[in-house]
Amino acid sequence: MLLVDLGPIAQLRAGRLGRRLPQLYVGLVAYGVSLAMMYRGDLGLAPWDVLHSGLIQHLPITIGEAVVLMSFVVLLLWIPLRETPGLGTISNALVVGFSADLTLALVDPPDAIVLRVGLMVGGVVLCGLASALYIGAQLGRGPRDGLMTGFARHTGHSLRLVRTALEVTVVVIGVLLGGTIGLGTVLYALAIGPLTQLWLPAWTIDVGPGPDRSPDAAGA
C-alpha cells in the first residue's frame, strides 16, 4: 500500500472513513501521550518539543498549549508555501497538545532514573507508532510535516536536508529559550525515522489513486 497525495476533499471522498478516522485520532492521542512521557522522563525532548518547552519558560501556558500555539503559527507559514490543510492537519494542531496536557495531569514525574529512562525510551517508541498511525490514515499532513514538504518543494532541496535544517533551527531556538535537551533528543533524532518506517506499511490504509486527482486535490 502506498501513501498518496490527496487534497482535503479527496481525502474524505477516498472512503474507508470508518477505519481511517479512528486510526487518525488514536495516533494523534498517542502522539500527545508520547510527548508527555518524554517530558516526564526529563532526559531530553524531540526537537520541536525543545522549542515548546522553551516557550513555556516565558509564557503563562502549558506544554500542550505551546504545541497548539506553535501548530497554528506554523500553519500561517503554509500560506506563502501554498500548502493545503486537511482534516488530519487541523486535528493534529489541536489533539496532540490536549492529549499531552491530559497525560501530564495524570502522570507524576518519577524520581528513579530507571523510570525516567523507561519513560524516555517508551515515549520515543510510542511516537514512532503514533506517527505511523496518523500518517497511514491518509487524512492530511501535520503542520510541521507540511512545513517541511512545502519548503522542500519551493527550494528544491531534499526532504532530509530540509527536515534537518528545520529541526536544528527549532532546537537552537528552544535551547536559547531554556528548553529541555538531552539524551532523549539524540535518541529521538536517531530512532524516530526507522521506527515510523518500520510500522508505516502495516498501518497505511489503501485508498487507491483517489476519486479526485484534479489540481484541486493536490497539496494535502
Side-chain angles (χ1 to χ4, degrees):
M1 298 180 187
L2 299 176
L3 293 171
V4 294
D5 192 13
L6 301 175
I9 301 302
Q11 291 165 10
L12 297 175
R13 288 179 178 173
R16 304 192 68 182
L17 294 179
R19 176 183 169 187
R20 292 166 64 213
L21 286 173
Q23 180 174 313
L24 168 69
Y25 289 106
V26 168
L28 294 178
V29 169
Y31 203 112
V33 173
S34 74
L35 187 167
M37 291 172 66
M38 293 188 69
Y39 190 81
R40 283 292 186 242
D42 196 24
L43 292 169
L45 297 171
W48 279 94
D49 295 327
V50 175
L51 174 59
H52 302 145
S53 66
L55 284 175
I56 68 174
Q57 306 301 317
H58 304 274
L59 298 174
I61 57 177
T62 65
I63 187 76
E65 290 167 346
V67 172
V68 174
L69 174 63
M70 280 306 303
S71 293
F72 283 98
V73 170
V74 168
L75 284 175
L76 291 177
L77 298 177
W78 280 35
I79 297 173
L81 296 174
R82 298 184 179 179
E83 290 286 301
T84 305
L87 175 63
T89 308
I90 304 303
S91 297
N92 185 302
L94 296 170
V95 174
V96 172
F98 294 150
S99 172
D101 274 351
L102 178 59
T103 304
L104 289 171
L106 297 173
V107 179
D108 293 327
D111 294 323
I113 187 64
V114 65
L115 295 178
R116 293 171 59 196
V117 170
L119 284 171
M120 176 191 69
V121 174
V124 172
V125 172
L126 180 59
C127 188
L129 176 59
S131 299
L133 286 168
Y134 92 77
I135 293 171
Q138 308 217 56
L139 283 163
R141 301 182 183 96
R144 295 154 188 79
D145 292 333
L147 184 66
M148 173 186 66
T149 57
F151 273 130
R153 187 176 68 252
H154 281 266
T155 63
H157 295 308
S158 69
L159 287 174
R160 179 176 297 179
L161 176 60
V162 171
R163 175 171 179 166
T164 300
L166 284 172
E167 293 190 346
V168 168
T169 299
V170 298
V171 165
V172 170
I173 295 172
V175 169
L176 291 175
L177 292 173
T180 304
I181 188 172
L183 178 61
T185 310
V186 177
L187 178 62
Y188 182 96
L190 294 175
I192 194 63
L195 285 172
T196 303
Q197 187 63 43
L198 173 67
W199 281 308
L200 191 57
W203 292 104
T204 299
I205 301 173
D206 186 9
V207 295
D212 183 359
R213 298 297 294 178
S214 66
D216 291 337

